Amino acid sequence: MAFRCSGTSSPPPASPDMPTAKELITFSRPRSGGLSMGAPAEARAARPCRLSWDEYFMKMAHLVARRSTCLRRQVGAVLVKDKRIIATGYNGAPKGLPHCIDIGRCLREELNVPSGQRHELCRGLHAEQNCIIQAAVFGVSTRGATLYTTTYPCAICAKMIINAEIREVVYDADYEDALAKELFEQAGVKVRRFHVDPEDP
């Protein structure tokens, strides 16, 4: 029986589903951002969409808001510096005190106080306030930071933001407070709106 030398045998026919040697090499050396641009179109299309920094931090603020204990409005805030989160805050009662959800009542709600008025009746702190206070407790400078908040800050928070030397405020939902807008404008704090769908992954 005659044997054919393996060195001279013909290669088996290529399967249409089998990747070529060039494709295998391309897949084996992906770039730092994910799949190589040389990868097949199907593989590139399957790569998940990467969040922008604004999307990332605003979605984090919405996640923080889910810790809120306010019966009226759930707000979350994230303080960012050099693309790093340095503090977070949500609206709720002072540390160690019963929260409104524990008490089961809201005095401003019972008195039918309109939104944005009689803040002194509220037993809670706003998300922005808690964010700045948390940074102070842990000795982290807020100078030059950016605040991401799910709701436009009120005038009280605006004054704290200005004195904390926060340079920019990025908010999602609007909140009618003419004085807050005026204060930010006079202080030169950059304010812009960036909306995200908190339920959209």
Side-chain angles (χ1 to χ4, degrees):
M1 179 181 294
F3 291 91
R4 177 177 293 180
C5 176
S6 60
T8 59
S9 62
S10 301
S15 169
D17 297 327
M18 182 180 296
T20 64
K22 182 178 180 180
E23 288 174 333
L24 288 172
I25 294 172
T26 304
F27 269 111
S28 66
R29 291 185 291 187
R31 298 180 182 177
S32 58
L35 292 175
S36 168
M37 291 304 293
E42 299 83 11
R44 293 200 305 272
R47 186 172 68 174
C49 179
R50 188 182 187 190
L51 297 177
S52 68
W53 286 114
D54 279 340
E55 290 172 319
Y56 176 66
F57 292 126
M58 188 59 79
K59 283 180 178 288
M60 292 285 282
H62 277 282
L63 181 63
V64 172
R66 296 176 67 176
R67 285 281 301 166
S68 170
T69 58
C70 180
L71 296 172
R72 261 194 166 189
R73 185 195 304 263
Q74 287 71 50
V75 181
V78 172
L79 200 54
V80 177
K81 195 171 185 180
D82 298 324
K83 295 184 174 63
R84 297 291 182 271
I85 295 174
I86 61 174
T88 64
Y90 52 87
N91 52 335
K95 186 180 297 184
L97 273 64
H99 291 279
C100 295
I101 58 173
D102 300 322
I103 298 173
R105 61 179 295 217
C106 171
L107 181 58
R108 294 174 72 237
E109 195 74 28
E110 292 175 1
L111 297 176
N112 294 317
V113 177
S115 178
Q117 298 180 20
R118 304 296 305 275
H119 291 291
E120 73 277 7
L121 295 177
C122 179
R123 64 181 285 107
L125 290 89
H126 289 187
E128 302 92 329
Q129 296 168 6
N130 274 327
C131 208
I132 294 171
I133 292 169
Q134 186 184 86
V137 168
F138 291 99
V140 180
S141 174
T142 58
R143 178 178 293 161
T146 298
L147 180 75
Y148 286 83
T149 176
T150 58
T151 305
Y152 195 99
C154 70
I156 297 174
C157 290
K159 288 181 278 189
M160 293 183 65
I161 289 168
I162 292 168
N163 276 5
E165 298 188 24
I166 293 170
R167 66 177 177 83
E168 183 179 18
V169 173
V170 185
Y171 70 99
D172 192 336
D174 209 353
Y175 179 79
E176 289 302 322
D177 194 319
L179 179 57
K181 291 177 170 63
E182 181 182 346
L183 291 171
F184 281 141
E185 185 175 346
Q186 291 177 350
V189 176
K190 182 180 178 182
V191 180
R192 60 187 175 89
R193 186 175 188 180
F194 187 84
H195 174 68
V196 299
D197 182 356
E199 302 302 325
D200 183 8

